[in-house]
PDB file of all heavy atoms in Angstrom:
ATOM      1  N   LEU A   4      87.898 116.567 111.100  1.00 94.00           N
ATOM      2  CA  LEU A   4      86.464 116.585 111.336  1.00 94.00           C
ATOM      3  C   LEU A   4      85.825 115.302 110.929  1.00 94.00           C
ATOM      4  O   LEU A   4      85.036 114.633 111.660  1.00 94.00           O
ATOM      5  CB  LEU A   4      85.713 117.748 110.685  1.00 94.00           C
ATOM      6  CG  LEU A   4      84.267 117.915 110.824  1.00 94.00           C
ATOM      7  CD1 LEU A   4      84.001 118.255 112.312  1.00 94.00           C
ATOM      8  CD2 LEU A   4      83.729 118.993 109.939  1.00 94.00           C
ATOM      9  N   LEU A   5      86.278 114.807 109.719  1.00 91.00           N
ATOM     10  CA  LEU A   5      85.779 113.498 109.244  1.00 91.00           C
ATOM     11  C   LEU A   5      86.174 112.347 110.105  1.00 91.00           C
ATOM     12  O   LEU A   5      85.402 111.421 110.403  1.00 91.00           O
ATOM     13  CB  LEU A   5      86.234 113.291 107.811  1.00 91.00           C
ATOM     14  CG  LEU A   5      85.656 114.222 106.749  1.00 91.00           C
ATOM     15  CD1 LEU A   5      86.359 113.981 105.375  1.00 91.00           C
ATOM     16  CD2 LEU A   5      84.193 114.008 106.625  1.00 91.00           C
ATOM     17  N   VAL A   6      87.439 112.363 110.548  1.00 93.00           N
ATOM     18  CA  VAL A   6      87.911 111.240 111.465  1.00 93.00           C
ATOM     19  C   VAL A   6      87.224 111.265 112.775  1.00 93.00           C
ATOM     20  O   VAL A   6      86.843 110.250 113.316  1.00 93.00           O
ATOM     21  CB  VAL A   6      89.444 111.374 111.637  1.00 93.00           C
ATOM     22  CG1 VAL A   6      89.939 110.470 112.717  1.00 93.00           C
ATOM     23  CG2 VAL A   6      90.106 110.980 110.309  1.00 93.00           C
ATOM     24  N   CYS A   7      87.014 112.479 113.314  1.00 95.00           N
ATOM     25  CA  CYS A   7      86.306 112.600 114.582  1.00 95.00           C
ATOM     26  C   CYS A   7      84.851 112.102 114.465  1.00 95.00           C
ATOM     27  O   CYS A   7      84.350 111.413 115.292  1.00 95.00           O
ATOM     28  CB  CYS A   7      86.352 114.038 114.994  1.00 95.00           C
ATOM     29  SG  CYS A   7      85.681 114.311 116.686  1.00 95.00           S
ATOM     30  N   ALA A   8      84.234 112.489 113.326  1.00 96.00           N
ATOM     31  CA  ALA A   8      82.835 111.972 113.109  1.00 96.00           C
ATOM     32  C   ALA A   8      82.829 110.441 112.925  1.00 96.00           C
ATOM     33  O   ALA A   8      81.905 109.804 113.440  1.00 96.00           O
ATOM     34  CB  ALA A   8      82.264 112.616 111.843  1.00 96.00           C
ATOM     35  N   LEU A   9      83.811 109.902 112.230  1.00 92.00           N
ATOM     36  CA  LEU A   9      83.873 108.409 112.062  1.00 92.00           C
ATOM     37  C   LEU A   9      84.075 107.753 113.434  1.00 92.00           C
ATOM     38  O   LEU A   9      83.369 106.756 113.711  1.00 92.00           O
ATOM     39  CB  LEU A   9      85.048 108.039 111.169  1.00 92.00           C
ATOM     40  CG  LEU A   9      85.387 106.629 111.088  1.00 92.00           C
ATOM     41  CD1 LEU A   9      84.386 105.852 110.227  1.00 92.00           C
ATOM     42  CD2 LEU A   9      86.792 106.325 110.656  1.00 92.00           C
ATOM     43  N   LEU A  10      84.969 108.268 114.242  1.00 93.00           N
ATOM     44  CA  LEU A  10      85.164 107.619 115.532  1.00 93.00           C
ATOM     45  C   LEU A  10      83.943 107.768 116.498  1.00 93.00           C
ATOM     46  O   LEU A  10      83.579 106.819 117.165  1.00 93.00           O
ATOM     47  CB  LEU A  10      86.401 108.254 116.215  1.00 93.00           C
ATOM     48  CG  LEU A  10      87.740 107.925 115.501  1.00 93.00           C
ATOM     49  CD1 LEU A  10      88.875 108.701 116.192  1.00 93.00           C
ATOM     50  CD2 LEU A  10      87.997 106.431 115.432  1.00 93.00           C
ATOM     51  N   ALA A  11      83.328 108.940 116.379  1.00 95.00           N
ATOM     52  CA  ALA A  11      82.067 109.138 117.268  1.00 95.00           C
ATOM     53  C   ALA A  11      80.999 108.136 116.738  1.00 95.00           C
ATOM     54  O   ALA A  11      80.243 107.566 117.525  1.00 95.00           O
ATOM     55  CB  ALA A  11      81.617 110.549 117.142  1.00 95.00           C
ATOM     56  N   ALA A  12      80.838 108.029 115.408  1.00 95.00           N
ATOM     57  CA  ALA A  12      79.841 107.113 114.860  1.00 95.00           C
ATOM     58  C   ALA A  12      80.097 105.651 115.308  1.00 95.00           C
ATOM     59  O   ALA A  12      79.216 104.921 115.606  1.00 95.00           O
ATOM     60  CB  ALA A  12      79.786 107.222 113.346  1.00 95.00           C
ATOM     61  N   LEU A  13      81.387 105.269 115.355  1.00 93.00           N
ATOM     62  CA  LEU A  13      81.676 103.922 115.801  1.00 93.00           C
ATOM     63  C   LEU A  13      81.347 103.726 117.263  1.00 93.00           C
ATOM     64  O   LEU A  13      80.782 102.637 117.643  1.00 93.00           O
ATOM     65  CB  LEU A  13      83.169 103.634 115.604  1.00 93.00           C
ATOM     66  CG  LEU A  13      83.657 103.394 114.169  1.00 93.00           C
ATOM     67  CD1 LEU A  13      85.201 103.239 114.143  1.00 93.00           C
ATOM     68  CD2 LEU A  13      83.024 102.148 113.643  1.00 93.00           C
ATOM     69  N   VAL A  14      81.550 104.756 118.093  1.00 92.00           N
ATOM     70  CA  VAL A  14      81.263 104.621 119.519  1.00 92.00           C
ATOM     71  C   VAL A  14      79.670 104.519 119.627  1.00 92.00           C
ATOM     72  O   VAL A  14      79.213 103.679 120.465  1.00 92.00           O
ATOM     73  CB  VAL A  14      81.833 105.794 120.333  1.00 92.00           C
ATOM     74  CG1 VAL A  14      81.197 105.866 121.723  1.00 92.00           C
ATOM     75  CG2 VAL A  14      83.283 105.725 120.334  1.00 92.00           C
ATOM     76  N   ILE A  15      78.986 105.358 118.989  1.00 94.00           N
ATOM     77  CA  ILE A  15      77.511 105.348 119.069  1.00 94.00           C
ATOM     78  C   ILE A  15      76.912 104.041 118.564  1.00 94.00           C
ATOM     79  O   ILE A  15      76.064 103.461 119.226  1.00 94.00           O
ATOM     80  CB  ILE A  15      76.933 106.565 118.345  1.00 94.00           C
ATOM     81  CG1 ILE A  15      77.296 107.829 119.096  1.00 94.00           C
ATOM     82  CG2 ILE A  15      75.453 106.460 118.262  1.00 94.00           C
ATOM     83  CD1 ILE A  15      76.984 109.137 118.421  1.00 94.00           C
ATOM     84  N   ALA A  16      77.500 103.587 117.432  1.00 94.00           N
ATOM     85  CA  ALA A  16      76.959 102.342 116.867  1.00 94.00           C
ATOM     86  C   ALA A  16      77.273 101.146 117.797  1.00 94.00           C
ATOM     87  O   ALA A  16      76.455 100.224 117.973  1.00 94.00           O
ATOM     88  CB  ALA A  16      77.608 102.082 115.496  1.00 94.00           C
ATOM     89  N   GLY A  17      78.436 101.184 118.467  1.00 92.00           N
ATOM     90  CA  GLY A  17      78.838 100.158 119.404  1.00 92.00           C
ATOM     91  C   GLY A  17      77.837 100.120 120.567  1.00 92.00           C
ATOM     92  O   GLY A  17      77.490  99.031 121.037  1.00 92.00           O
ATOM     93  N   GLN A  18      77.536 101.287 121.069  1.00 93.00           N
ATOM     94  CA  GLN A  18      76.592 101.336 122.266  1.00 93.00           C
ATOM     95  C   GLN A  18      75.237 100.928 121.843  1.00 93.00           C
ATOM     96  O   GLN A  18      74.551 100.230 122.650  1.00 93.00           O
ATOM     97  CB  GLN A  18      76.629 102.754 122.850  1.00 93.00           C
ATOM     98  CG  GLN A  18      77.915 103.049 123.537  1.00 93.00           C
ATOM     99  CD  GLN A  18      77.891 104.470 124.192  1.00 93.00           C
ATOM    100  OE1 GLN A  18      76.957 105.229 123.912  1.00 93.00           O
ATOM    101  NE2 GLN A  18      78.883 104.751 124.983  1.00 93.00           N
ATOM    102  N   LEU A  19      74.707 101.338 120.681  1.00 95.00           N
ATOM    103  CA  LEU A  19      73.409 100.986 120.229  1.00 95.00           C
ATOM    104  C   LEU A  19      73.214  99.485 119.971  1.00 95.00           C
ATOM    105  O   LEU A  19      72.217  98.889 120.211  1.00 95.00           O
ATOM    106  CB  LEU A  19      72.989 101.765 118.979  1.00 95.00           C
ATOM    107  CG  LEU A  19      72.726 103.231 119.209  1.00 95.00           C
ATOM    108  CD1 LEU A  19      72.488 103.936 117.871  1.00 95.00           C
ATOM    109  CD2 LEU A  19      71.592 103.458 120.114  1.00 95.00           C
ATOM    110  N   LEU A  20      74.324  98.883 119.447  1.00 94.00           N
ATOM    111  CA  LEU A  20      74.301  97.468 119.188  1.00 94.00           C
ATOM    112  C   LEU A  20      74.611  96.584 120.396  1.00 94.00           C
ATOM    113  O   LEU A  20      74.413  95.374 120.342  1.00 94.00           O
ATOM    114  CB  LEU A  20      75.246  97.136 118.040  1.00 94.00           C
ATOM    115  CG  LEU A  20      74.916  97.717 116.663  1.00 94.00           C
ATOM    116  CD1 LEU A  20      76.025  97.447 115.672  1.00 94.00           C
ATOM    117  CD2 LEU A  20      73.592  97.154 116.159  1.00 94.00           C
ATOM    118  N   GLY A  21      75.081  97.205 121.426  1.00 94.00           N
ATOM    119  CA  GLY A  21      75.410  96.531 122.673  1.00 94.00           C
ATOM    120  C   GLY A  21      76.580  95.528 122.485  1.00 94.00           C
ATOM    121  O   GLY A  21      76.544  94.434 123.040  1.00 94.00           O
ATOM    122  N   ILE A  22      77.594  95.864 121.760  1.00 92.00           N
ATOM    123  CA  ILE A  22      78.756  95.002 121.593  1.00 92.00           C
ATOM    124  C   ILE A  22      79.571  94.958 122.889  1.00 92.00           C
ATOM    125  O   ILE A  22      79.568  95.866 123.680  1.00 92.00           O
ATOM    126  CB  ILE A  22      79.609  95.367 120.378  1.00 92.00           C
ATOM    127  CG1 ILE A  22      80.171  96.791 120.571  1.00 92.00           C
ATOM    128  CG2 ILE A  22      78.855  95.359 119.128  1.00 92.00           C
ATOM    129  CD1 ILE A  22      81.200  97.162 119.544  1.00 92.00           C
ATOM    130  N   SER A  23      80.344  93.940 123.030  1.00 93.00           N
ATOM    131  CA  SER A  23      81.143  93.755 124.238  1.00 93.00           C
ATOM    132  C   SER A  23      82.338  94.738 124.189  1.00 93.00           C
ATOM    133  O   SER A  23      82.749  95.203 123.114  1.00 93.00           O
ATOM    134  CB  SER A  23      81.686  92.298 124.320  1.00 93.00           C
ATOM    135  OG  SER A  23      82.624  92.112 123.311  1.00 93.00           O
ATOM    136  N   PRO A  24      82.927  95.006 125.390  1.00 90.00           N
ATOM    137  CA  PRO A  24      84.032  95.932 125.384  1.00 90.00           C
ATOM    138  C   PRO A  24      85.254  95.411 124.672  1.00 90.00           C
ATOM    139  O   PRO A  24      86.000  96.209 124.015  1.00 90.00           O
ATOM    140  CB  PRO A  24      84.405  95.998 126.900  1.00 90.00           C
ATOM    141  CG  PRO A  24      83.142  95.670 127.656  1.00 90.00           C
ATOM    142  CD  PRO A  24      82.427  94.688 126.741  1.00 90.00           C
ATOM    143  N   VAL A  25      85.477  94.111 124.563  1.00 94.00           N
ATOM    144  CA  VAL A  25      86.603  93.564 123.843  1.00 94.00           C
ATOM    145  C   VAL A  25      86.394  93.810 122.333  1.00 94.00           C
ATOM    146  O   VAL A  25      87.322  94.214 121.661  1.00 94.00           O
ATOM    147  CB  VAL A  25      86.769  92.104 124.110  1.00 94.00           C
ATOM    148  CG1 VAL A  25      87.818  91.468 123.199  1.00 94.00           C
ATOM    149  CG2 VAL A  25      87.121  91.838 125.584  1.00 94.00           C
ATOM    150  N   ALA A  26      85.157  93.579 121.854  1.00 93.00           N
ATOM    151  CA  ALA A  26      84.862  93.866 120.430  1.00 93.00           C
ATOM    152  C   ALA A  26      85.040  95.378 120.145  1.00 93.00           C
ATOM    153  O   ALA A  26      85.471  95.717 119.065  1.00 93.00           O
ATOM    154  CB  ALA A  26      83.486  93.375 120.095  1.00 93.00           C
ATOM    155  N   GLY A  27      84.640  96.219 121.101  1.00 90.00           N
ATOM    156  CA  GLY A  27      84.788  97.679 120.878  1.00 90.00           C
ATOM    157  C   GLY A  27      86.235  98.103 120.789  1.00 90.00           C
ATOM    158  O   GLY A  27      86.592  98.931 119.967  1.00 90.00           O
ATOM    159  N   ILE A  28      87.112  97.456 121.604  1.00 92.00           N
ATOM    160  CA  ILE A  28      88.525  97.713 121.535  1.00 92.00           C
ATOM    161  C   ILE A  28      89.089  97.301 120.190  1.00 92.00           C
ATOM    162  O   ILE A  28      89.900  97.969 119.555  1.00 92.00           O
ATOM    163  CB  ILE A  28      89.309  97.057 122.724  1.00 92.00           C
ATOM    164  CG1 ILE A  28      88.894  97.782 123.979  1.00 92.00           C
ATOM    165  CG2 ILE A  28      90.801  97.064 122.498  1.00 92.00           C
ATOM    166  CD1 ILE A  28      89.428  97.101 125.244  1.00 92.00           C
ATOM    167  N   VAL A  29      88.688  96.094 119.751  1.00 94.00           N
ATOM    168  CA  VAL A  29      89.168  95.583 118.460  1.00 94.00           C
ATOM    169  C   VAL A  29      88.719  96.512 117.298  1.00 94.00           C
ATOM    170  O   VAL A  29      89.501  96.783 116.391  1.00 94.00           O
ATOM    171  CB  VAL A  29      88.672  94.110 118.204  1.00 94.00           C
ATOM    172  CG1 VAL A  29      88.904  93.681 116.763  1.00 94.00           C
ATOM    173  CG2 VAL A  29      89.373  93.181 119.179  1.00 94.00           C
ATOM    174  N   ILE A  30      87.472  96.928 117.343  1.00 93.00           N
ATOM    175  CA  ILE A  30      86.972  97.821 116.315  1.00 93.00           C
ATOM    176  C   ILE A  30      87.715  99.131 116.318  1.00 93.00           C
ATOM    177  O   ILE A  30      88.107  99.702 115.246  1.00 93.00           O
ATOM    178  CB  ILE A  30      85.426  98.053 116.437  1.00 93.00           C
ATOM    179  CG1 ILE A  30      84.724  96.746 116.136  1.00 93.00           C
ATOM    180  CG2 ILE A  30      84.951  99.155 115.576  1.00 93.00           C
ATOM    181  CD1 ILE A  30      83.232  96.741 116.455  1.00 93.00           C
ATOM    182  N   SER A  31      87.935  99.697 117.476  1.00 92.00           N
ATOM    183  CA  SER A  31      88.682 101.021 117.558  1.00 92.00           C
ATOM    184  C   SER A  31      90.147 100.812 117.098  1.00 92.00           C
ATOM    185  O   SER A  31      90.711 101.711 116.449  1.00 92.00           O
ATOM    186  CB  SER A  31      88.640 101.581 118.987  1.00 92.00           C
ATOM    187  OG  SER A  31      89.330 100.783 119.895  1.00 92.00           O
ATOM    188  N   LEU A  32      90.771  99.653 117.403  1.00 95.00           N
ATOM    189  CA  LEU A  32      92.150  99.409 116.875  1.00 95.00           C
ATOM    190  C   LEU A  32      92.143  99.307 115.422  1.00 95.00           C
ATOM    191  O   LEU A  32      93.056  99.846 114.702  1.00 95.00           O
ATOM    192  CB  LEU A  32      92.740  98.197 117.562  1.00 95.00           C
ATOM    193  CG  LEU A  32      93.243  98.334 118.965  1.00 95.00           C
ATOM    194  CD1 LEU A  32      93.718  97.005 119.481  1.00 95.00           C
ATOM    195  CD2 LEU A  32      94.358  99.337 118.993  1.00 95.00           C
ATOM    196  N   LEU A  33      91.120  98.619 114.820  1.00 95.00           N
ATOM    197  CA  LEU A  33      91.060  98.569 113.350  1.00 95.00           C
ATOM    198  C   LEU A  33      90.827  99.886 112.724  1.00 95.00           C
ATOM    199  O   LEU A  33      91.406 100.188 111.663  1.00 95.00           O
ATOM    200  CB  LEU A  33      89.953  97.546 112.950  1.00 95.00           C
ATOM    201  CG  LEU A  33      90.273  96.070 113.256  1.00 95.00           C
ATOM    202  CD1 LEU A  33      88.999  95.257 112.923  1.00 95.00           C
ATOM    203  CD2 LEU A  33      91.460  95.639 112.438  1.00 95.00           C
ATOM    204  N   ALA A  34      89.995 100.723 113.375  1.00 94.00           N
ATOM    205  CA  ALA A  34      89.722 102.067 112.821  1.00 94.00           C
ATOM    206  C   ALA A  34      91.099 102.878 112.935  1.00 94.00           C
ATOM    207  O   ALA A  34      91.426 103.638 111.973  1.00 94.00           O
ATOM    208  CB  ALA A  34      88.638 102.747 113.638  1.00 94.00           C
ATOM    209  N   SER A  35      91.815 102.784 114.033  1.00 95.00           N
ATOM    210  CA  SER A  35      93.089 103.493 114.139  1.00 95.00           C
ATOM    211  C   SER A  35      94.131 102.973 113.061  1.00 95.00           C
ATOM    212  O   SER A  35      94.901 103.730 112.557  1.00 95.00           O
ATOM    213  CB  SER A  35      93.644 103.355 115.498  1.00 95.00           C
ATOM    214  OG  SER A  35      92.828 103.940 116.467  1.00 95.00           O
ATOM    215  N   LEU A  36      94.084 101.672 112.856  1.00 96.00           N
ATOM    216  CA  LEU A  36      94.949 101.095 111.804  1.00 96.00           C
ATOM    217  C   LEU A  36      94.620 101.703 110.413  1.00 96.00           C
ATOM    218  O   LEU A  36      95.512 102.136 109.673  1.00 96.00           O
ATOM    219  CB  LEU A  36      94.833  99.631 111.779  1.00 96.00           C
ATOM    220  CG  LEU A  36      95.673  98.851 110.753  1.00 96.00           C
ATOM    221  CD1 LEU A  36      97.146  99.021 111.112  1.00 96.00           C
ATOM    222  CD2 LEU A  36      95.288  97.417 110.700  1.00 96.00           C
ATOM    223  N   LEU A  37      93.330 101.798 110.119  1.00 95.00           N
ATOM    224  CA  LEU A  37      92.875 102.437 108.847  1.00 95.00           C
ATOM    225  C   LEU A  37      93.307 103.910 108.813  1.00 95.00           C
ATOM    226  O   LEU A  37      93.841 104.401 107.770  1.00 95.00           O
ATOM    227  CB  LEU A  37      91.386 102.320 108.703  1.00 95.00           C
ATOM    228  CG  LEU A  37      90.816 102.969 107.454  1.00 95.00           C
ATOM    229  CD1 LEU A  37      91.292 102.278 106.201  1.00 95.00           C
ATOM    230  CD2 LEU A  37      89.302 102.962 107.511  1.00 95.00           C
ATOM    231  N   ILE A  38      93.235 104.596 109.876  1.00 95.00           N
ATOM    232  CA  ILE A  38      93.647 105.990 109.895  1.00 95.00           C
ATOM    233  C   ILE A  38      95.174 106.119 109.723  1.00 95.00           C
ATOM    234  O   ILE A  38      95.630 106.963 108.946  1.00 95.00           O
ATOM    235  CB  ILE A  38      93.227 106.630 111.255  1.00 95.00           C
ATOM    236  CG1 ILE A  38      91.720 106.819 111.353  1.00 95.00           C
ATOM    237  CG2 ILE A  38      93.934 107.992 111.525  1.00 95.00           C
ATOM    238  CD1 ILE A  38      91.178 107.088 112.689  1.00 95.00           C
ATOM    239  N   GLY A  39      95.900 105.216 110.334  1.00 95.00           N
ATOM    240  CA  GLY A  39      97.340 105.276 110.144  1.00 95.00           C
ATOM    241  C   GLY A  39      97.767 104.965 108.723  1.00 95.00           C
ATOM    242  O   GLY A  39      98.744 105.493 108.232  1.00 95.00           O
ATOM    243  N   LEU A  40      97.013 104.072 108.050  1.00 95.00           N
ATOM    244  CA  LEU A  40      97.316 103.715 106.677  1.00 95.00           C
ATOM    245  C   LEU A  40      96.956 104.850 105.697  1.00 95.00           C
ATOM    246  O   LEU A  40      97.671 105.033 104.718  1.00 95.00           O
ATOM    247  CB  LEU A  40      96.579 102.419 106.299  1.00 95.00           C
ATOM    248  CG  LEU A  40      97.119 101.152 106.894  1.00 95.00           C
ATOM    249  CD1 LEU A  40      96.145 100.020 106.604  1.00 95.00           C
ATOM    250  CD2 LEU A  40      98.484 100.823 106.317  1.00 95.00           C
ATOM    251  N   GLU A  41      95.887 105.545 105.946  1.00 93.00           N
ATOM    252  CA  GLU A  41      95.384 106.552 105.025  1.00 93.00           C
ATOM    253  C   GLU A  41      95.785 107.982 105.344  1.00 93.00           C
ATOM    254  O   GLU A  41      95.377 108.925 104.624  1.00 93.00           O
ATOM    255  CB  GLU A  41      93.861 106.416 104.893  1.00 93.00           C
ATOM    256  CG  GLU A  41      93.454 105.110 104.206  1.00 93.00           C
ATOM    257  CD  GLU A  41      93.957 104.939 102.841  1.00 93.00           C
ATOM    258  OE1 GLU A  41      94.110 105.936 102.122  1.00 93.00           O
ATOM    259  OE2 GLU A  41      94.317 103.758 102.463  1.00 93.00           O
TER     260      GLU A  41
END
């Protein structure tokens, strides 16, 4: 539930800030890396 909320918050924040798709992919890869580490 916490990971799902974190990923949803990243998507919403990315849309609200209007970041580019490449930056969104990089941010999601970094979040997945953090998930894999922890």
Side-chain angles (χ1 to χ4, degrees):
L4 183 65
L5 291 173
V6 168
C7 187
L9 170 78
L10 294 175
L13 284 175
V14 169
I15 292 170
Q18 288 181 351
L19 289 176
L20 295 174
I22 62 172
S23 69
V25 174
I28 290 172
V29 169
I30 290 171
S31 65
L32 281 175
L33 289 174
S35 294
L36 181 67
L37 178 65
I38 291 166
L40 287 170
E41 294 299 325

